[in-house]
Amino acid sequence: MAVVIIPLVTSNKSLTKFVTVFILMLSIILIHVAVKFGKVVYQNYEGMPNPPLWVPKAFGYGISVNPYNKVGKIITIALTVILDLFFIGTGIAILYFS
C-alpha cells in the first residue's frame, strides 16, 4: 500500500508525513489483529495443562509460537509491545523531527 500511495503525495511534505504516520498506525492495528487471530486459531490448546511452545501454522507450512504456552505468551506480548513502541516512535519522529 505504501509503495502505491507515497509516490502520489511526495509533492506535499505535510501530506507525505500524514500518509506515512497513517500507514504506521494501520500496521499497529494489523499486528493486534494478527495476535487476536492467533489466539482464535490456536484456542484448542487453551485448556491443556502443558501446551507445546511450537505448533503447526494454521495456514501454510511451518511452525508458529503458541500464545497459550507460558513462554509463548511472553514472546507474543514482548514482540507486540516492541513493535508498537517502534511504530509509535517512528511516527513521532516523522511528525516532529523531520
Side-chain angles (χ1 to χ4, degrees):
M1 183 165 103
V3 175
V4 174
I5 293 175
I6 290 182
L8 297 175
V9 297
T10 55
S11 60
N12 188 345
K13 189 173 181 180
S14 62
L15 185 59
T16 304
K17 286 182 184 181
F18 172 75
V19 168
T20 305
V21 171
F22 182 71
I23 291 171
L24 288 172
M25 294 303 128
L26 287 178
S27 300
I28 291 173
I29 293 170
L30 182 64
I31 290 169
H32 288 275
V33 168
V35 168
K36 294 294 182 189
F37 177 75
K39 285 190 172 190
V40 169
V41 169
Y42 300 118
Q43 68 185 356
N44 56 344
Y45 294 104
E46 185 175 7
M48 294 177 73
N50 191 15
L53 174 61
W54 301 104
V55 292
K57 287 178 64 175
F59 298 103
Y61 298 108
I63 55 177
S64 177
V65 174
N66 183 3
Y68 292 107
N69 182 297
K70 292 177 187 176
V71 176
K73 188 177 289 187
I74 292 170
I75 292 171
T76 303
I77 291 171
L79 283 174
T80 304
V81 168
I82 289 169
L83 288 173
D84 284 349
L85 290 175
F86 174 75
F87 285 135
I88 290 170
T90 304
I92 289 170
I94 288 170
L95 285 176
Y96 297 110
F97 301 114
S98 67

